[in-house]
Amino acid sequence: MARRAMSVFRQWPSRVFSVETEGEPVYFSIRNEHRGEEVPRVFREVPKSDRCYSLHVCCSDRVRRAKFYAELKENFQRELPPRWDVSPMSSFLPNVRDSLIHGYFVRDHSESPSRSESFLRSLSPDAVLVCSYVRGEDGGVWTQRLWSDSETAEKSKEYFVVPAEAPEYHPSALGIINSDVFYSFEEALEVLQKCGDIIPEAKSVMELLPRRADARSEPDFPVVVIEGLDATGKTTLTESLRDTLGATLLRSPPQGLSPFRARFDQEPPLIRRAFYALGNYMTAEQVGQESTKTPVIVDRFWHSTAAYAIAAAVGGPVSNLPAEGSEVYRWPSDLLQPSLVVLLTLDSEERKRRLRGRGQGKTLEEQALDQNQIFRLKVEEAYRRISGPPCIVVDASPSADQVLQQVQLVIRAKCHL
């Protein structure tokens, strides 16, 4: 068993388990003895003929872990074993950062348990911990069996399964820092370095990167970032500001990364987020150079990278986001800070109308914005909670000229331009 798996194995009785059902997590824990607790909700309506399993991806290398988890998901979507229902799940140590382990909860309706267990045993034992769940004769007690070895499941430890209280915040928050959102150049670079052998484009991207992050305390000229969801008018506004202020216009990710975006958009969040985080540092290097000569307008920056990542990582409603003031919203200490950040907001129906008129290809996350109002609300709220500097919200529903005038007033007041 791999080192990380062994560490997880030793801490197993202290972990809490979360199964996503209809977008909401259901929690349970395990004990050495049963004290009359009720059956956890995820097991209450399981027919007697069904069997339940859980898979926990825990190999030591986090790039391999992310790739393996994504490959499992793709395999389930492409070739779901007959009569299986699969739900995302995780396990974690309460309030312990980096303790989050992603996995899947499986309900098997098939008539051949041997085939299902054969499939589970075929999974890489140094990458996945497997559990089976057994119903007691009276149906009121369930036990969990952790397979310490995929070939000797019968020798594994058994625990009683009991309900667990929901944690103070969504468990995904335990794994956001430097996995979904990166807070230093070195942390993001380390991920891409580990991808060099499996993603050839990673080496090309690294050749474009600055040698190190250089967070200058204050640019010579003001740096104004324009943020907002697609179709809120960022492009029109940033180009108008460039012309009216005699400024340099930059975008994040920078043009140099455009040939690689489609490739990295296919990768698991860990790798994809590291790619876009490094794009911010490339843009910051350009900003540092240009802000010695002129004001700089930036079309999206770290706020976008972080807000989308946080919203995607946290399941369920807006209330599941980490609380305002959480360290997940802090600005990276080695990333140049803009003088001002303007967040354009727009009524969802008007935004959809504008999108229909554009007819451009969209990323998976942009498609999710169109289809999922909850995701959109989480992105907008994450924008508002990011500090250093915070966003100034501007209504983008008036005409382009009116929005330009309003933003110019904000820039004059905040940046003295």
Side-chain angles (χ1 to χ4, degrees):
M1 189 178 291
R3 182 173 56 188
R4 177 178 169 88
M6 283 296 297
S7 174
V8 170
F9 188 80
R10 288 193 295 269
Q11 300 170 328
W12 200 253
S14 301
R15 303 187 76 83
V16 175
F17 303 84
S18 169
V19 180
E20 296 286 338
T21 59
E22 300 178 354
E24 277 297 313
V26 176
Y27 299 96
F28 66 90
S29 57
I30 56 177
R31 288 183 180 165
N32 287 315
E33 53 185 52
H34 200 269
R35 302 169 188 168
E37 294 91 348
E38 63 182 359
V39 175
R41 183 154 61 93
V42 71
F43 296 101
R44 286 178 198 167
E45 298 181 2
V46 176
K48 289 185 178 180
S49 58
D50 286 5
R51 289 159 300 282
C52 297
Y53 306 94
S54 58
L55 319 176
H56 309 266
V57 181
C58 58
C59 52
S60 56
D61 182 273
R62 63 176 179 159
V63 169
R64 183 180 172 225
R65 188 162 69 244
K67 293 283 284 184
F68 193 89
Y69 179 75
E71 288 167 5
L72 272 179
K73 182 178 181 179
E74 291 173 1
N75 288 339
F76 287 149
Q77 291 174 338
R78 185 174 58 249
E79 301 177 7
L80 190 69
R83 298 178 62 78
W84 270 30
D85 288 335
V86 180
S87 302
M89 78 172 298
S90 61
S91 76
F92 58 96
L93 297 172
N95 301 317
V96 178
R97 189 202 291 180
D98 296 331
S99 66
L100 189 72
I101 297 174
H102 292 289
Y104 299 98
F105 185 80
V106 175
R107 281 178 54 178
D108 178 13
H109 312 290
S110 70
E111 298 177 358
S112 175
S114 60
R115 181 176 180 183
S116 298
E117 296 202 0
S118 176
F119 169 79
L120 294 171
R121 290 192 179 101
S122 70
L123 300 175
S124 176
D126 69 335
V128 181
L129 289 175
V130 179
C131 295
S132 56
Y133 297 84
V134 179
R135 185 201 316 264
E137 292 184 3
D138 61 358
V141 177
W142 283 76
T143 56
Q144 180 202 75
R145 174 179 293 162
L146 174 62
W147 296 10
S148 58
D149 187 309
S150 59
E151 297 297 327
T152 58
E154 68 278 6
K155 297 180 181 179
S156 302
K157 173 73 174 178
E158 284 192 347
Y159 300 96
F160 291 101
V161 177
V162 298
E165 292 186 3
E168 183 178 352
Y169 44 80
H170 195 277
S172 59
L174 298 172
I176 286 176
I177 293 178
N178 292 325
S179 290
D180 293 290
V181 183
F182 288 87
Y183 298 84
S184 77
F185 177 80
E186 294 299 331
E187 287 282 355
L189 179 62
E190 180 184 356
V191 172
L192 240 64
Q193 287 172 333
K194 290 183 177 180
C195 293
D197 293 336
I198 56 176
I199 305 175
E201 292 85 350
K203 295 180 180 179
S204 300
V205 171
M206 286 188 287
E207 291 174 358
L208 300 174
L209 297 176
R211 292 186 178 181
R212 61 183 178 86
D214 182 16
R216 299 172 58 190
S217 58
E218 188 172 341
D220 296 334
F221 283 85
V223 176
V224 179
V225 173
I226 306 299
E227 293 281 5
L229 306 182
D230 275 10
T232 52
K234 292 189 306 302
T235 300
T236 300
L237 176 62
T238 54
E239 292 177 352
S240 297
L241 288 172
R242 175 195 59 195
D243 297 338
T244 58
L245 298 177
T248 300
L249 174 57
L250 299 172
R251 291 182 171 84
S252 187
Q255 187 65 31
L257 291 186
S258 295
F260 309 106
R261 290 184 66 177
R263 176 67 179 85
F264 281 90
D265 280 343
Q266 301 171 14
E267 293 299 324
L270 174 72
I271 300 171
R272 186 168 73 250
R273 304 301 184 195
F275 168 78
Y276 282 105
L278 292 169
N280 287 325
Y281 287 96
M282 288 180 64
T283 298
E285 184 182 45
Q286 296 173 345
V287 169
Q289 295 168 354
E290 297 299 326
S291 64
T292 63
K293 300 174 287 187
T294 67
V296 177
I297 307 298
V298 186
D299 185 341
R300 287 187 167 173
F301 198 41
W302 191 80
H303 280 72
S304 284
T305 307
Y308 277 84
I310 293 168
V314 177
V318 174
S319 59
N320 283 349
L321 288 174
E324 194 165 357
S326 167
E327 60 181 339
V328 305
Y329 302 117
R330 64 179 167 84
W331 191 269
S333 60
D334 62 351
L335 182 64
L336 180 145
Q337 283 197 24
S339 314
L340 174 67
V341 179
V342 174
L343 173 63
L344 300 180
T345 61
L346 194 63
D347 173 81
S348 61
E349 291 304 315
E350 171 62 15
R351 197 180 71 84
K352 288 180 181 179
R353 186 189 68 77
R354 293 185 185 183
L355 280 170
R356 285 194 294 269
R358 288 167 56 169
Q360 295 179 348
K362 291 177 272 188
T363 66
L364 292 176
E365 287 172 346
E366 288 162 351
Q367 293 174 31
L369 284 174
D370 297 344
Q371 300 164 5
N372 188 333
Q373 182 182 12
I374 292 176
F375 180 62
R376 176 178 63 80
L377 292 173
K378 286 192 293 186
V379 171
E380 290 181 335
E381 184 57 31
Y383 267 127
R384 293 186 178 96
R385 294 184 183 184
I386 292 170
S387 60
C391 294
I392 293 179
V393 178
V394 172
D395 180 11
S397 58
S399 69
D401 286 341
Q402 289 174 303
V403 173
L404 173 62
Q405 291 174 12
Q406 187 175 354
V407 172
Q408 284 178 318
L409 289 174
V410 173
I411 292 174
R412 289 193 189 107
K414 299 292 184 179
C415 303
H416 308 295
L417 277 179

